[in-house]
């Protein structure tokens, strides 16, 4: 996904003089041609994430369309107040593109992990959050974001589904059956594997914000399981609001709150958080009974 | 004229020293330096002034009223329900205000992005000014902007009002905290001195330290 992001954003910079790229050293090597070709609007501010967001806000206030990129813990967690004030409070927009959300940087430890990025953005108004489940879903997201001035967060990950669903903005039903299991982004394949022989409806979205609440209300029966690749329960408030007035039970699966002080790979952490197929199957069958 | 206007603003006396310390610099900016007016407040190539030190904006509001950006009667209800003027300015609510500030340490980064955006779009005449307080420099975010602006020789002008309000002070004074910037030091009440320091165009970032009476004296 990262390579797709670099290729598409480099092309966007070539095609659209309104676009700008702001880096804080991360990925500066792979963006070297863009930085060389567009020195006025492809910028590497050094290891300065607060400044990266401030610069993005300033660029947007002059009418440009900035793309900001870093590891999720630095892009979102560290610069949270800049995101809140230098973008939101100014009524300015930007496209934030992260890598290293949740436990992608498993071997690096918790300093380089951010399971709470989407929850943090949920404290703010007006963010579109996109979580591609496949690299082929990324280019359309980046190109669409160039056409307006809204605030967009695109969360790139190492984990991918076998198939792309570029039309995954609204809830897309992939299998019809009993209770709804909603998979966000790269959680789709583990969900499909976990529920292969269960009587459930499986729906997919790669755009959890704004959550397709009308779609959810239409397809959710009395029981809903949400499987997200970030902090468990991040979408609980929105799902609750969507199903307000409908009798329902909901189970929210995602990354646990407790820090796992171990290394390994993202697969190891997925297993530890119960987000592999076996863990999901157990949670889902326990819940549905 | 502005002093009279300023007296209409009440309700934020806590920040009165902060507000009044900026009055002369703001008057010089709006009366002599900035290429902006109510009629050109949305022109893409206008000069930009960013008030980073959003506390105590009474002087700012008074100048905006005197220059015709906002009606004078707005001044009478600062901070009240349904007033457009808060005790920190909001760009969405106030014509002519470029950034909403109040939390310290945001204006300089936004100014760097603004100057970069103007340059990238070929608005070479447009200048970017940002006003900070000396205590505001304690916020580390400023140092990210100071170092980067120096490294890329970005032409913008930062004005620091020095009323010695930083809790621990700074060895070497304020210019020592802006390596790579050119520096002017002026009497923060002398309009001609302020004018001379702000009117010169520089090819790299420029710091104007405007000294006023100490906040705690």
């Amino acid at each position: 996904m990262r390579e797709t992001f670099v290729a598409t954003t480099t092309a966007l910079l070539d095609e659209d003089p309104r676009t700008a790229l702001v880096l804080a050293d991360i990925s500066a090597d792979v963006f070297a041609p863009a930085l060389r070709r567009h020195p006025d609007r492809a910028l590497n501010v050094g290891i300065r994430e607060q400044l990266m967001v401030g610069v993005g806000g300033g660029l947007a206030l002059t009418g440009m369309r900035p793309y900001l990129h870093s590891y999720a813990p630095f892009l979102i967690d560290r610069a949270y107040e800049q995101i809140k004030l230098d973008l939101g409070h100014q009524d300015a927009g930007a496209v934030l593109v992260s890598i290293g959300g949740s436990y992608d940087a498993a071997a690096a430890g918790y300093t380089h992990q951010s399971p709470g990025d989407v929850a943090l953005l949920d404290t703010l108004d007006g963010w579109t959050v996109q979580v591609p489940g496949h690299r082929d879903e990324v280019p359309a997201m980046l190109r669409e974001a160039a056409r307006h001035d809204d605030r967009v967060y695109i969360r790139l990950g190492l984990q991918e589904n076998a198939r792309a669903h570029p039309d995954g903005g609204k809830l897309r039903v992939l299998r019809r059956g009993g209770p709804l299991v909603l998979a966000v982004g790269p959680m789709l394949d583990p969900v499909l594997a976990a529920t292969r022989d269960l009587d459930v409806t499986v729906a997919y979205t790669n755009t959890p914000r704004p959550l397709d609440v009308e779609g959810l209300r239409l397809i959710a029966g009395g029981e809903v399981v949400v499987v997200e690749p970030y902090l468990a329960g991040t979408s609980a408030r929105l799902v609750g609001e969507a199903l307000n007035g409908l009798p329902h039970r909901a189970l929210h699966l995602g990354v646990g709150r407790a820090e796992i002080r171990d290394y390994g790979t993202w697969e190891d952490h997925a297993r530890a958080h119960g987000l592999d197929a076996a863990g999901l199957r157990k949670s889902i069958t326990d819940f549905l009974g | 004229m502005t002093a009279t206007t300023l007296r209409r603003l009440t309700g934020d006396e806590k920040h009165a020293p902060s507000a009044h310390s900026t009055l002369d610099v703001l008057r010089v900016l709006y009366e002599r330096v900035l290429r902006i007016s109510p009629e050109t407040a949305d022109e893409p190539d206008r000069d930009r002034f960013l008030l980073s030190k959003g506390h105590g904006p009474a002087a700012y509001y008074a100048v905006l009223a005197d220059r015709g950006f906002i009606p004078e009667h707005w001044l009478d209800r600062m901070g009240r329900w349904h007033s457009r003027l808060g005790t920190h300015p909001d760009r969405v609510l106030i014509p002519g205000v470029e950034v909403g500030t109040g939390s310290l340490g945001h204006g300089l980064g936004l100014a760097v992005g603004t100057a970069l955006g103007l340059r990238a779009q070929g608005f070479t005449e447009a200048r970017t000014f940002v006003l900070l307080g000396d205590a505001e420099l304690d916020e580390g975010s400023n140092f990210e902007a100071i170092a980067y602006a120096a490294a890329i020789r970005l032409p913008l002008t930062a004005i620091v009002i020095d009323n010695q309000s930083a809790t621990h002070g700074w060895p070497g004074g304020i210019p020592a905290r802006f390596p790579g910037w050119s520096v002017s030091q002026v009497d923060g009440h002398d309009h001609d001195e302020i004018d001379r320091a702000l009117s010169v165009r520089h090819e790299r970032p420029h710091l104007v330290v405007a000294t006023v009476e100490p906040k705690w004296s």
Side-chain angles (χ1 to χ4, degrees):
Chain A
M1 287 192 200
R2 189 189 196 179
E3 291 74 16
T4 315
F5 156 59
V6 172
T8 306
T9 307
T10 298
L12 268 173
L13 286 163
D14 290 341
E15 296 161 17
D16 184 350
R18 201 173 82 95
T19 55
L21 172 69
V22 192
L23 303 174
D25 272 354
I26 298 297
S27 302
D29 51 348
V30 285
F31 273 115
L35 293 165
R36 200 168 50 244
R37 279 208 293 278
H38 307 288
D40 276 354
R41 53 194 176 86
L43 310 157
N44 178 10
V45 301
I47 306 170
R48 299 184 174 101
E49 290 84 9
Q50 295 178 74
L51 177 65
M52 175 170 60
V53 180
V55 163
L59 288 166
L61 288 174
T62 68
M64 300 194 71
R65 184 58 166 159
Y67 287 65
L68 318 179
H69 165 67
S70 187
Y71 267 72
F74 315 132
L75 179 65
I76 306 294
D77 305 24
R78 182 192 292 263
Y80 171 76
E81 201 202 21
Q82 273 73 19
I83 294 170
K84 173 186 164 196
L85 296 184
D86 298 358
L87 295 173
H89 182 53
Q90 309 307 330
D91 196 22
V95 187
L96 275 51
V97 184
S98 77
I99 53 173
S102 294
Y103 38 69
D104 274 6
Y110 199 61
T111 60
H112 282 59
Q113 298 168 12
S114 176
D117 52 353
V118 177
L120 277 168
L121 290 182
D122 268 350
T123 67
L124 306 174
D125 187 35
W127 281 88
T128 293
V129 176
Q130 300 195 292
V131 184
H134 189 281
R135 66 193 65 189
D136 292 346
E137 297 171 22
V138 175
M141 293 175 177
L142 291 163
R143 288 187 170 280
E144 173 59 28
R147 290 196 273 270
H148 55 78
D149 287 310
D150 296 345
R151 294 183 282 280
V152 178
Y153 178 49
I154 302 177
R155 189 184 205 259
L156 309 178
L158 295 178
Q159 188 173 354
E160 289 188 74
N161 303 317
R163 282 188 52 205
H165 297 283
D167 54 350
K170 298 282 183 190
L171 297 195
R172 181 182 158 85
V173 176
L174 297 178
R175 189 200 304 159
R176 290 197 184 273
L180 171 65
V181 183
L182 171 61
V184 175
M187 292 295 98
L188 177 60
D189 276 6
V191 162
L192 288 172
T195 60
R196 195 180 311 274
D197 54 349
L198 300 180
D199 177 26
V200 293
T201 296
V202 176
Y204 172 73
T205 184
N206 60 23
T207 306
R209 299 289 179 279
L211 187 66
D212 178 5
V213 291
E214 294 85 4
L216 187 64
R217 218 176 147 81
L218 280 175
I219 58 175
E223 291 169 319
V224 180
V225 180
V226 179
V227 186
E228 304 178 277
Y230 33 79
L231 201 60
T234 298
S235 291
R237 174 180 61 85
L238 291 167
V239 170
E241 285 176 11
L243 302 182
N244 189 23
L246 299 177
H248 68 279
R249 291 197 306 139
L251 173 67
H252 291 273
L253 301 175
V255 180
R257 210 161 275 270
E259 176 183 342
I260 290 183
R261 288 185 189 273
D262 207 336
Y263 301 102
T265 63
W266 68 258
E267 290 92 338
D268 294 320
H269 282 247
R271 194 165 53 247
H273 287 287
L275 294 178
D276 61 337
L280 290 172
R281 182 180 178 85
K282 180 172 188 329
S283 298
I284 292 168
T285 51
D286 284 354
F287 176 71
L288 296 178
Chain B
M1 180 168 69
T2 300
T4 318
T5 319
L6 193 53
R7 275 195 287 274
R8 294 178 68 161
L9 289 147
T10 54
D12 190 28
E13 282 74 12
K14 184 184 82 171
H15 287 120
S18 172
H20 298 171
S21 67
T22 60
L23 179 59
D24 291 297
V25 165
L26 289 168
R27 285 192 58 190
V28 173
L29 274 166
Y30 278 85
E31 292 171 9
R32 306 194 195 182
V33 179
L34 293 171
R35 294 182 308 113
I36 45 176
S37 67
E39 294 72 36
T40 64
D42 294 318
E43 291 295 317
D45 65 343
R46 68 188 182 274
D47 285 345
R48 303 299 203 278
F49 169 70
L50 285 70
L51 181 75
S52 184
K53 193 173 79 79
H55 299 278
Y60 187 39
Y61 295 159
V63 171
L64 288 173
D66 273 353
R67 305 304 292 176
F69 288 91
I70 59 174
E72 270 196 33
H73 69 84
W74 284 14
L75 302 177
D76 300 328
R77 301 193 67 254
M78 181 169 71
R80 311 242 197 105
W81 183 243
H82 284 163
S83 169
R84 290 195 179 227
L85 309 185
T87 59
H88 303 117
D90 185 336
R91 69 175 292 275
V92 174
L93 299 177
I94 312 170
V97 169
E98 301 285 2
V99 285
T101 49
S103 182
L104 298 176
H106 289 266
L108 192 51
L110 285 165
V112 168
T114 299
L116 286 163
L118 293 171
R119 186 168 77 179
Q121 294 171 84
F123 299 132
T124 52
E125 288 299 304
R127 301 179 68 195
T128 303
F129 299 84
V130 55
L131 187 148
L132 308 95
D134 68 302
E136 183 179 4
L137 291 180
D138 290 354
E139 295 286 3
S141 54
N142 288 306
F143 290 87
E144 297 189 2
I146 290 169
Y148 178 62
I152 63 167
R153 297 180 68 85
L154 184 68
L156 84 166
T157 299
I159 306 152
V160 175
I161 303 291
D162 185 6
N163 65 353
Q164 296 179 40
S165 59
T167 297
H168 296 290
W170 284 84
I174 289 169
R177 303 164 71 182
F178 285 77
W181 290 50
S182 56
V183 178
S184 302
Q185 304 209 55
V186 301
D187 175 339
H189 296 304
D190 185 322
H191 286 209
D192 291 331
E193 265 193 50
I194 297 167
D195 184 7
R196 276 194 297 277
L198 293 178
S199 295
V200 182
R201 285 176 179 266
H202 297 266
E203 296 303 308
R204 58 172 167 148
H206 185 63
L207 167 69
V208 176
V209 181
T211 306
V212 298
E213 54 280 1
K215 180 178 181 180
W216 307 113
S217 64

